């Protein structure tokens, strides 16, 4: 009976682990709570390879584009333009859903969780930009800081591109690193169903459903918004000649992993592998996807807007046009400025709450359901970045097409 389970595609094994974990967490909470170390070990194992993957992938991507600054500029412009367009669309969806359903009207104001102590309510922009320039790149990598690693990898890739033949041995080393990292990714993700089972069992055993029932309207509206975002992404894919269902199926594994672990970062190596398996341009994936994971969080941004308007209505704040405009502007800025700070999502919401005159303590009202909301919005972050890669490939694909295929055998990805 066990052998047929292991013959199932990995995506179905993940879904089975998710459902079984949910059941165990609800029916046997003590046992479910004890499974947390298994899920934690898996997440730490994936985080172990994220920084090497980001550094090697971005460096190689910039190396391959380094001699074509027009290509690089076009890829960057399309990527950043889409990121900001997606941000505004996500915010508007959140605001429109609140206007249609008013989930905050009459909502209970009892705290369902705790707000982190000393939570920042603004971004120190000087510190933000200074932190992007690492004085010690090894220390920045050791601390899992994505943005400083991105900056260094971009500079390192451009430097290798301009160094001629002397840089070729380093390129070969980086290709070997990528091959090894994707091999390790395959080993780790083969254990994903077990880890997802453990994570879901722990989550539902410790969080329970009482707060979800109390704030059911917010949870329901949030997931309706995520469904609308998926529909918009599908329309975008159709418009550029892609098959939405095929693309969704191809990235289902990283999406399920994001949903269960609530971490976009954990899905990055597997997501890159799946995009390469789909035939996406090596250079585009290597540049756009790490940038997207740092700056393009569509599901999270939609939640920011919805959470702020939910709390505003719960506290009786009138949402005038000027207030709504403030929410749009501050959310857009905060979502990018909090990308490199601890508890970035909470910082972004706190900044918007401060801007419209609400107490930061209001976050405690929705903190109890945040884990359940985080699951869906993290999965949508992954899908949104898939769409970003496809759009850049469509509009910069001819210019950024790979001149040569990667030589490292490990980069010829096969389905796990």
């Amino acid at each position: 009976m066990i052998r047929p389970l292991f013959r199932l595609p990995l995506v179905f094994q993940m879904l089975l682990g998710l459902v079984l974990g949910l059941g165990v967490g609800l029916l046997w909470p003590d046992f479910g709570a004890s499974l947390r170390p298994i899920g934690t070990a898996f997440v730490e194992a994936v985080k172990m390879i994220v920084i090497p993957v980001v550094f090697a992938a971005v460096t190689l991507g910039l190396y391959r584009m380094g001699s074509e600054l027009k290509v690089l500029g076009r890829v960057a412009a399309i990527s950043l333009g889409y990121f900001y367009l997606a941000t505004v669309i996500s915010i508007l969806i959140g605001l429109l859903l609140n206007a249609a359903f008013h989930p905050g009207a009459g909502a209970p104001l009892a705290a369902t969780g705790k707000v982190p102590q000393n939570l920042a309510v603004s971004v120190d922009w000087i510190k933000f930009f200074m932190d992007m320039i690492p004085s010690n790149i090894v220390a920045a990598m050791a601390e899992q800081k994505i943005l400083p690693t991105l900056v260094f990898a971009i500079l390192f890739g451009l430097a290798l591109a301009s160094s001629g033949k002397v840089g070729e041995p380093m390129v070969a080393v980086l290709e070997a690193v990528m091959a090894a990292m994707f091999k390790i990714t395959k080993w780790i993700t083969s254990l994903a169903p077990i880890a997802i089972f453990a994570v879901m069992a722990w989550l539902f055993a410790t969080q329970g459903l009482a707060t979800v029932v109390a704030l059911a309207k917010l949870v329901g509206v949030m997931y309706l918004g995520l469904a609308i975002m998926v529909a918009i992404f599908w329309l975008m894919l159709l418009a550029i000649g892609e098959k939405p269902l095929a693309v969704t199926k191809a990235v289902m594994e990283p999406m399920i992993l994001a949903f269960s672990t609530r971490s976009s970062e954990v899905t990055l190596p597997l997501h890159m592998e799946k995009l390469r398996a789909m035939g996406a341009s090596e250079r585009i994936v290597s540049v756009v996807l790490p940038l997207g994971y740092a700056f393009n969080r569509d599901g999270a941004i939609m939640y920011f807007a919805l959470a702020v308007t939910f709390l505003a209505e719960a506290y009786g704040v009138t949402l005038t046009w000027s207030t709504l405009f403030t929410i749009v502007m501050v959310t857009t800025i905060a979502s990018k400025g909090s990308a490199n700070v601890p508890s970035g999502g909470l910082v972004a919401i706190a900044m918007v709450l401060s801007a419209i005159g609400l107490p930061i303590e209001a976050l405690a009202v929705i903190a109890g359901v945040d884990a359940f909301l985080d699951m869906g919005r993290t999965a949508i972050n992954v899908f949104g970045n898939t769409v970003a890669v496809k759009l850049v490939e469509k509009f910069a694909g001819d210019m950024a097409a790979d001149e040569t295929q990667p030589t490292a055998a490990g980069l010829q990805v096969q389905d796990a």
Side-chain angles (χ1 to χ4, degrees), residues 48-380:
M48 172 181 67
I49 62 175
V50 167
I51 291 296
V53 167
V54 169
F55 174 68
V58 174
T59 299
L60 288 172
L62 269 294
Y63 169 78
R64 291 170 185 141
M65 289 189 205
S67 59
E68 308 164 46
L69 293 181
K70 269 190 180 179
V71 175
L72 181 58
R74 186 169 181 177
V75 168
I78 294 172
S79 299
L80 295 175
Y82 169 73
F83 293 165
Y84 276 96
L85 175 64
T87 294
V88 174
I89 291 174
S90 301
I91 294 170
L92 291 178
I93 291 173
L95 297 181
L96 290 172
L97 284 172
N98 181 78
F101 295 99
H102 300 285
L109 293 178
T112 62
K114 295 182 179 179
V115 179
Q117 293 183 348
N118 303 319
L119 183 67
V121 295
S122 63
V123 173
D124 185 339
W125 288 102
I126 295 177
K127 186 177 185 302
F128 176 81
F129 287 111
M130 292 301 294
D131 284 348
M132 291 176 65
I133 306 172
S135 59
N136 185 332
I137 187 57
V138 176
M141 289 180 172
E143 294 172 11
Q144 296 277 312
K145 292 182 176 179
I146 295 291
L147 286 183
T149 303
L150 275 175
V151 170
F152 182 76
I154 290 169
L155 295 174
F156 195 64
L158 292 174
L160 281 178
S162 64
S163 63
K165 289 187 176 181
V166 72
E168 291 178 0
M170 178 57 71
V171 173
V173 169
L174 290 172
E175 287 181 344
V177 168
M178 285 292 288
M181 290 302 105
F182 282 125
K183 180 65 71 175
I184 295 174
T185 298
K186 187 175 181 180
W187 293 342
I188 295 173
T189 52
S190 66
L191 301 173
I194 299 172
I196 289 173
F197 166 77
V199 170
M200 295 301 291
W202 167 78
L203 178 67
F204 279 86
T206 55
Q207 300 293 318
L209 294 177
T211 54
V212 175
V213 173
L215 299 176
K217 197 172 182 181
L218 172 63
V219 175
V221 172
M222 168 71 181
Y223 277 89
L224 174 61
L226 296 179
I228 292 172
M229 293 189 72
V230 170
I232 292 173
F233 288 145
W234 281 355
L235 290 174
M236 288 182 178
L237 291 171
L238 274 174
I240 61 175
E242 295 285 344
K243 297 178 179 179
L245 292 179
V247 173
T248 306
K249 181 181 177 182
V251 296
M252 188 58 70
E253 288 177 24
M255 286 179 66
I256 294 173
L257 194 59
F259 182 86
S260 55
T261 62
R262 297 180 292 134
S263 172
S264 298
E265 186 181 78
V266 165
T267 68
L268 180 57
L270 179 61
H271 196 184
M272 295 183 77
E273 179 183 338
K274 292 302 175 184
L275 287 172
R276 286 189 172 92
M278 291 167 61
S281 166
E282 186 81 27
R283 297 194 288 185
I284 289 176
V285 171
S286 297
V287 175
V288 175
L289 201 59
L291 283 175
Y293 270 70
F295 294 109
N296 187 45
R297 299 175 291 166
D298 303 322
I301 291 165
M302 191 270 287
Y303 167 68
F304 297 165
L306 183 60
V308 169
T309 49
F310 170 88
L311 291 172
E313 288 198 340
Y315 275 79
V317 174
T318 303
L319 294 174
T320 62
W321 284 108
S322 62
T323 303
L324 292 174
F325 181 74
T326 300
I327 291 173
V328 172
M329 295 303 297
V330 178
T331 303
T332 302
I333 296 169
S335 64
K336 309 308 177 189
S338 62
N340 197 33
V341 298
S343 303
L346 291 178
V347 171
I349 297 177
M351 288 174 63
V352 186
L353 291 178
S354 296
I356 63 173
L358 282 177
I360 306 306
E361 292 73 21
L363 279 171
V365 173
I366 58 174
V369 294
D370 188 67
F372 299 100
L373 300 173
D374 199 15
M375 296 160 73
R377 68 186 187 237
T378 306
I380 297 302

